[in-house]
Amino acid sequence: MPFRAGDSIYLRRKPILSYMKTLFSWVALWLLVPPLSGLSQIKIDKQNIPFNNYDNKYYYQGKPFSGIMKSGYNEICFVNGEVNGTVLSYDYSGKVFRKLTYTNGHFNGEFFTEKYKGAFREDTIIGKLTGFGYSSRNKEYEYDFRYLNNQVGVSYQFDQQGRISKQGIIYSGIGEYFFTAFGLIIEIDRFIEGEDFSRIRSFPNLIDFNTEKMHHFTSYYTNTGKVQYKQIFTGDSLAGEVSYFSNGRTNDSIRFLYPLNVRTAYENESLEKDLNQLYKNRTRYLYAENGTLQEKNTQKTFPPDNEASEISSEEPVTRFVGDFESHYSNGTLEQKWHFNESGKLDGDYLSNYFSGSPRIKARMENGVCSTPFTFYRPGGKPRFSITKTASGEWLFQEFLPDGFLKIKKVLSTEEVNSGSAQLISWLRIGNRDHENDLISETDNLLEMLFQKREEEAQ
């Protein structure tokens, strides 16, 4: 039967009413059933969430609070009346600058602040900690506190362009590569009290990137990426160090006579003391930027010279041993000496003027001047000499500036022994500083060097 005009309206109204009844039924049912996650999302101001001293929990409307407490610039997640979950801190503009997670009574899990990013395990940083600059999100450093598969993590420092400038491993005991963040973490109670931490972004007790706090340490020329300085290790022992010019050539190279096991020293709490002694026992090579050798020497420590010094706990004496060689800036040989194992000059002794002409040619015996001994003027002519004749006599000769003989005298053994100490003192023998020799053209050398001293006579 065909539809009439009124029939179409009537037939459409019945399905609509049925649908509306069903919808209202579902709404009523939904209102009776509490939402599964709604309470965890509500945000309540701290003043409306009192603390119950009886069970040490926070309550809201008579029940342990679950949700987000707004306290000052902080938002703190609660579950069943206790802090459990995310802790957010906002700056004055409303931007989140810090996110932490508090569980089981400690800060745990990943976190970030305006300046730091890392992870905690019971308030202690584990894994990697990244620090960022204030002006940008570029890394300033990345500390690695991991200890995995018997290997420790390498930490890095970056320049403003994000290039590595320094790297090394943090001194710590085996299996203990972590770091407690006293400066970054604040007690949870202070967050709850709403203290404004928007300006506290410091981490004051981080380890510095330097040779005293790191091992396997390396620094770089950031403009080229070339190594500027590095420590040389054999296993866990620090065996030496090398620094380089920007052109890649060696500048300063040191080999330690007694390599130091840094792990053992750290565990024995003697690292600082042992490092100090390490550098007092070394062979050093110093080069010019063009690659020429400037200096070569070896230093070694010796016990105090006498028993009285030992009783007074005097520090060991550091002396040169072995060959000593140095050059002027023009490449000319400046000095070439040898020290015996007692640290005293022994054997051939040579020092030159800047021009390359000889200053002193001599022989040394266990720290005492021997023969032949010749001291030259800057022009190359001798000033005086001490030699030993075939018959065993000691012969002193002094010369005029033109090279002609001025004085000739046979010396006794006592006079030579007395004069040796004066020569060492006045000519700076064994001392690199000889700019001001204490001998002039008008001095009476026989009297200065060999006349018996009153103190010796007594």
Side-chain angles (χ1 to χ4, degrees), residues 137-156:
R137 298 305 294 174
N138 287 339
K139 293 180 182 179
E140 280 189 358
Y141 48 79
E142 187 171 76
Y143 285 94
D144 197 331
F145 301 96
R146 296 177 302 174
Y147 190 88
L148 302 171
N149 301 322
N150 204 34
Q151 297 292 324
V152 292
V154 179
S155 301
Y156 300 92

Side-chain angles (χ1 to χ4, degrees), residues 56 60 65 83 100 103 109 122 133 156 159 194 369 404 419 424-425 440 445:
N56 296 323
Y60 178 66
F65 177 61
V83 181
L100 304 166
T103 57
E122 297 187 353
Y156 300 92
D159 66 7
C369 294
F404 287 98
I424 290 172
S425 174
S440 68
L445 298 183

Side-chain angles (χ1 to χ4, degrees), residues 44-50 59-61 65 69-70:
I44 307 297
D45 194 271
K46 176 184 177 296
Q47 63 183 357
N48 297 320
I49 311 175
Y59 278 72
Y60 178 66
Q61 295 182 350
F65 177 61
M69 173 190 286
K70 296 182 65 175

Side-chain angles (χ1 to χ4, degrees), residues 319-339:
R319 300 192 186 109
F320 289 110
V321 296
D323 292 332
F324 182 101
E325 183 178 336
S326 65
H327 297 257
Y328 290 106
S329 58
N330 63 356
T332 299
L333 179 67
E334 180 185 18
Q335 293 142 339
K336 191 171 184 179
W337 313 331
H338 180 80
F339 296 86

